[in-house]
Amino acid sequence: NAGVTQTPKFRVLKTGQSMTLLCAQDMNHEYMYWYRQDPGMGLRLIHYSVGEGTTAKGEVPDGYNVSRLKKQNFLLGLESAAPSQTSVYFCASSYRGNEQFFGPGTRLTVL
Amino acid sequence: AQSVTQPDIHITVSEGASLELRCNYSYGATPYLFWYVQSPGQGLQLLLKYFSGDTLVQGIKGFEAEFKRSQSSFNLRKPSVHWSDAAEYFCAVGSGYSTLTFGKGTMLLVSP
């Protein structure tokens, strides 16, 4: 039982490049979330999903897109990376809106 | 809109001393409340949660928290801090049906 896993763990991009972060969970959770964490800002919700095929915007959605084609996977895309998107990205999942289980994070640097 | 305030950005506690981390929330209904801990370079781990019932909840690693509706608070406590407790602590509030709102975190430093 791996819980929540994130791929990759680290990534360096140049401004304007695109990439996709993958989150996978094996707990059969309905809800999945993408956060970014920046120093002094806590966790800010980017997008979330309450079920397969559904997505919704969070607090800071601009510059990101998501897809939930399978219940166990939640993808976060950056179409044209900017230095302001340098951050640590966390994925989480939960059974409905209860306690969230977090992945280990992806550290992204945009040059 | 719901919100969470953690008034202390940093706290330093001597090893063996007691600890209290403050959390105040704003929420229109009965809240679901959580405390998470994050060690450097790691994801967040749930320490404890409050949904209903007894207002004093016990968590892992010897932590407890007390829900005080009149004060809109959910403070985290530990009677004796260990060096391994040094980490960042996040309080969160939600409805139980959707998203959580996190506080900005309190960094705990433990001195010898």
Side-chain angles (χ1 to χ4, degrees), chain A residues 23-86:
Chain A
C23 176
Q25 53 93 6
D26 60 3
M27 296 174 282
N28 201 34
H29 284 163
E30 289 291 335
Y31 289 27
M32 296 186 75
Y33 313 82
W34 275 108
Y35 294 91
R36 61 178 289 171
Q37 184 178 34
D38 303 289
M41 302 294 290
L43 285 165
R44 293 184 291 171
L45 183 65
I46 304 171
H47 286 280
Y48 65 101
S49 168
V50 299
E52 183 178 318
T54 74
T55 63
K57 294 180 180 180
E59 179 186 356
V60 289
D62 294 342
Y64 305 94
N65 56 76
V66 288
S67 64
R68 183 98 181 267
L69 299 180
K70 294 182 178 181
K71 185 177 183 179
Q72 64 268 33
N73 295 337
F74 195 28
L75 278 63
L76 177 70
L78 285 73
E79 290 185 348
S80 179
S84 60
Q85 294 177 305
T86 293

Side-chain angles (χ1 to χ4, degrees), chain A residues 31 33 37 90 98-100, chain B residues 36 38 49 90 97-98:
Chain A
Y31 289 27
Y33 313 82
Q37 184 178 34
F90 287 100
N98 291 330
E99 63 199 78
Q100 295 182 13
Chain B
Y36 285 85
Q38 184 181 32
K49 60 188 178 186
F90 293 92
Y97 295 98
S98 184

